[in-house]
């Protein structure tokens, strides 16, 4: 409670209630709020702890709350929607009329100075349901900083079993989250915990842990070992997203381990239920990682289930369709199991950003996911592992795609024409977002962080050469694809 007046207020005889039809639910005792002061009350049902504790608790699903003076007249009435852990419904300034959602919650602190509300006390103010605002985790303006803390025992455990989670702590924005699970990750880019490892942080690894950070149960921190430019993932994911391909958010982040700098990382949104919820109405479908597999009978069981039920019927159905000898018939049969538009767009953006390390350029392919969307009842493509993009500018974007879906699509005139149209659209997206200008801005932003990164496995000259090559790739991409495909120069 906040006292906007110029005199102290004694609250003896005031009442609080979580039922606006029963304003006398709880009579406050000897409590006082100084002029301009605050009083923190706990709706926890534990009155034995003192007069600031109320005999009722509030529902996280939302309900109402009223404050009344000793005559029974309403002072303040609110009705709030569903709430979330650590997210505070707060007046935009002390005593103000506007409600905002804030993270982290700051009980007892000022919300800022402004004009107090003049709304009639009898009016019930509606507070919207809370929502996670995780924008700071993927900000382009203020890069997040993550602190990892591991005990000697956990460090030893990660040296012995680097892919098993060890108990540790995560520090972000001045808050400590523990216990969390921490492990190293990667294949060709793998580095030990004593060097500059790529990391997975699992916030729901332990029953007594924090469960999430702004709704995210897992963080993925990439060491950029295969990317001397230190820029590929952040820019490539941007193009996929802007083109309408379901793709992760990504930005740079700095990371420390027990206070010592590990250097500059790419912070990539983990592919899971949260990402799916931003792109699909129904997140209850099956999400598979496509890792060194293709759509043949021999590979159906090799798709790795990551989320949802283990239903491979669309994978099997698409594999059956790809067995048809006539490409046009195969495309038509495959449409019952695959959104060809989704695949064509995914493949087209891959051609524009040079994602030649992933399916359909790698065959059997990897570095992507397929999601069986319950709403459309077909598979959709999602990219990941974009650290080797923007490299081979003259790679064959059509015939170099050996995956079964691309090989079949390019033999069907209608499917190929739709893919070429998606390539044109992806090039237009790169122009619309000024990809070259963005890359130059990112280059300038991270320059001091790159210079300070003593653990990167490449020297200044290698970084500069890789960044120059990336900028040249972007600047010449439209002309190169016009040469290869006859698209607009």
């Amino acid at each position: 409670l906040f006292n906007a007046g110029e005199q102290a207020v004694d609250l003896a005889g005031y009442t609080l209630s979580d039922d606006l039809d029963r304003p006398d639910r709880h009579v406050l005792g000897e409590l006082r709020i100084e002029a301009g002061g605050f009083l923190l009350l706990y709706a926890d049902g534990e009155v034995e702890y003192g007069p600031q504790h109320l005999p009722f608790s509030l529902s996280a699903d939302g309900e109402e709350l009223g404050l009344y003076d000793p005559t029974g007249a309403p002072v303040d009435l609110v009705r709030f929607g569903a709430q979330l852990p650590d997210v505070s419904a707060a007046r935009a300034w002390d005593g103000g009329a506007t409600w905002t959602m804030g993270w982290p919650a700051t009980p007892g602190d000022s919300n800022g100075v402004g004009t107090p509300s003049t709304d009639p006390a009898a009016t019930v103010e509606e507070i919207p349901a809370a929502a996670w605002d995780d924008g700071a985790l993927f900000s382009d303006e203020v890069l997040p900083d993550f602190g990892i803390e591991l005990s000697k025992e956990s460090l030893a455990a990660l040296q012995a079993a680097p892919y098993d989670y060890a108990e540790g702590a995560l520090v972000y924005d001045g808050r400590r989250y523990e216990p969390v699970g921490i492990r190293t990750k990667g294949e060709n880019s793998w580095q030990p915990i004593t060097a500059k490892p790529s990391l997975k942080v699992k916030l729901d690894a332990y029953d007594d842990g924090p469960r999430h950070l702004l709704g995210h149960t897992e963080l993925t921190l990439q060491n950029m070992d295969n990317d001397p430019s230190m820029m590929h993932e952040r820019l490539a994911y941007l193009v996929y997203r802007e083109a309408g391909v379901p793709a992760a958010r990504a930005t740079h982040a700095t990371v420390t381990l027990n206070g010592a700098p590990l250097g500059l990382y790419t912070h990539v949104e983990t592919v899971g239920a949260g990402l799916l919820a931003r792109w699909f109405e129904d997140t209850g479908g099956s999400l598979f990682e496509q890792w060194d597999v293709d759509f043949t009978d021999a590979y159906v069981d090799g798709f790795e289930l990551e989320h949802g039920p283990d239903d491979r019927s669309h994978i099997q159905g698409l594999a059956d369709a790809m067995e048809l000898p006539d490409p046009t018939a195969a495309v038509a049969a495959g449409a019952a199991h695959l959104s060809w538009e989704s695949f064509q767009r995914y493949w087209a953006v891959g051609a524009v950003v040079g994602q030649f390390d992933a399916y359909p350029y790698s065959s059997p392919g990897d570095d992507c996911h397929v999601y069986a969307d319950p709403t459309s009842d077909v598979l959709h493509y999602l990219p990941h592992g974009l650290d080797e993009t923007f490299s081979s500018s003259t790679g064959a974007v059509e015939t170099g795609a050996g995956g079964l879906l691309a090989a079949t699509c390019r033999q069907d005139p209608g499917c190929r024409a739709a893919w070429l149209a998606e390539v044109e659209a992806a090039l237009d997206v790169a122009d619309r977002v000024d990809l070259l200008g963005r890359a130059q801005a990112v280059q300038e932003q991270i320059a001091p962080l790159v210079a300070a990164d003593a653990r990167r496995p490449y020297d200044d000259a290698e970084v500069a050469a890789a960044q120059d090559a990336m900028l040249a790739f972007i600047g010449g991409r439209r002309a190169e694809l016009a040469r290869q495909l006859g698209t607009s120069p």
Side-chain angles (χ1 to χ4, degrees):
L1 301 181
F2 168 65
N3 178 8
E6 298 181 357
Q7 303 292 327
V9 175
D10 290 315
L11 295 178
Y14 279 71
T15 62
L16 264 176
S17 178
D18 61 345
D19 182 349
L20 300 187
D21 294 327
R22 296 173 55 200
D24 58 350
R25 179 86 188 275
H26 173 64
V27 181
L28 294 174
E30 298 298 325
L31 296 170
R32 177 184 174 91
I33 311 179
E34 299 298 328
F38 305 92
L39 176 66
L40 181 60
L41 301 175
Y42 299 88
D44 55 10
E46 297 178 345
V47 293
E48 64 271 21
Y49 290 105
Q52 289 177 244
H53 292 260
L54 307 177
F56 55 81
S57 57
L58 299 176
S59 172
D61 295 329
E63 58 171 295
E64 53 195 20
L65 188 65
L67 173 67
Y68 304 84
D69 70 17
T71 71
V75 176
D76 202 1
L77 308 175
V78 297
R79 183 177 293 114
F80 57 90
Q83 300 298 294
L84 292 170
D86 292 338
V87 177
S88 155
R91 295 186 183 275
W93 53 77
D94 297 335
T98 302
W99 290 87
T100 62
M101 296 298 165
W103 180 94
T106 56
D109 290 343
S110 173
N111 293 341
V113 178
T115 304
S117 171
T118 57
D119 290 342
T123 300
V124 179
E125 297 180 73
E126 298 287 345
I127 305 173
W132 299 119
D133 181 5
D134 61 357
L137 294 177
F138 301 99
S139 172
D140 282 334
E141 287 74 35
V142 181
L143 304 181
D145 178 73
F146 298 109
I148 304 295
E149 296 185 2
L150 295 167
S151 67
K152 291 181 180 179
E153 292 76 14
S154 291
L155 284 169
L158 284 173
Q159 289 177 282
Y163 292 107
D164 293 340
Y165 283 104
E167 185 174 316
L170 172 72
V171 180
Y172 171 70
D173 197 27
R175 303 191 73 188
R176 183 182 177 89
Y177 298 82
E178 62 179 336
V180 300
I182 297 168
R183 69 169 176 87
T184 65
K185 66 174 294 290
E187 295 177 60
N188 297 331
S189 64
W190 182 85
Q191 290 193 34
I193 193 66
T194 54
K196 186 184 178 181
S198 290
L199 296 166
K200 283 277 191 183
V201 180
K202 191 169 176 60
L203 287 105
D204 62 350
Y206 305 99
D207 291 340
D208 58 343
R211 313 303 296 173
H212 69 91
L213 170 61
L214 292 178
H216 293 264
T217 60
E218 194 172 274
L219 302 182
T220 301
L221 300 168
Q222 307 278 57
N223 63 6
M224 300 181 285
D225 183 80
N226 290 336
D227 175 16
S229 79
M230 305 183 78
M231 296 167 55
H232 288 167
E233 291 172 289
R234 181 170 167 186
L235 275 300
Y237 277 111
L238 169 70
V239 182
Y240 279 100
R241 295 194 309 272
E242 291 291 332
V245 178
R249 290 169 292 177
T251 190
H252 284 95
T254 50
V255 181
T256 61
L257 173 59
N258 291 339
L262 289 183
L264 184 64
Y265 281 70
T266 303
H267 173 222
V268 181
E269 182 180 14
T270 303
V271 178
L275 185 152
L276 293 176
R278 295 203 337 272
W279 294 94
F280 299 95
E281 293 181 6
D282 190 337
T283 62
S286 304
L287 176 71
F288 295 93
E289 182 176 356
Q290 186 172 345
W291 187 8
D292 290 339
V293 293
D294 207 336
F295 291 93
T296 67
D297 288 342
Y299 287 127
V300 168
D301 290 338
F303 283 77
E304 294 192 1
L305 180 68
E306 293 203 344
H307 170 81
D310 192 357
D311 181 356
R312 298 169 188 261
S313 57
H314 281 311
I315 297 174
Q316 182 64 65
L318 190 54
D320 293 343
M322 292 301 100
E323 292 178 350
L324 297 176
D326 176 47
T328 299
V331 169
H337 307 283
L338 169 72
S339 166
W340 280 105
E341 180 183 13
S342 167
F343 173 71
Q344 290 155 352
R345 186 168 298 165
Y346 156 84
W347 177 19
V349 178
V352 169
V353 301
Q355 174 60 331
F356 298 131
D357 186 49
Y359 190 81
Y361 293 100
S362 60
S363 178
D366 57 4
D367 279 350
C368 58
H369 289 82
V370 289
Y371 178 60
D373 171 34
T375 301
S376 59
D377 196 25
V378 288
L379 297 170
H380 293 255
Y381 260 83
L382 296 80
H384 79 268
L386 305 183
D387 54 332
E388 296 183 60
T389 48
F390 302 111
S391 296
S392 178
S393 62
T394 58
V397 298
E398 183 173 5
T399 59
L404 273 174
L405 297 184
T408 303
C409 181
R410 67 170 171 264
Q411 295 178 71
D412 173 61
C415 191
R416 181 177 184 271
W419 173 68
L420 288 173
E422 292 289 354
V423 173
E424 289 271 16
L427 287 168
D428 290 343
V429 166
D431 290 342
R432 174 172 57 79
V433 302
D434 185 16
L435 185 59
L436 182 59
R438 290 227 188 179
Q440 291 168 331
V442 170
Q443 180 186 35
E444 181 179 357
Q445 180 189 46
I446 67 173
L449 302 175
V450 172
D453 187 345
R455 300 202 185 194
R456 54 186 160 95
Y458 17 75
D459 60 28
D460 292 347
E462 290 172 308
V463 173
Q467 290 182 349
D468 288 346
M470 178 179 177
L471 296 177
F473 179 107
I474 295 171
R477 198 62 184 151
R478 182 177 283 277
E480 174 61 22
L481 292 186
R483 182 186 71 80
Q484 289 195 35
L485 303 174
T487 51
S488 300

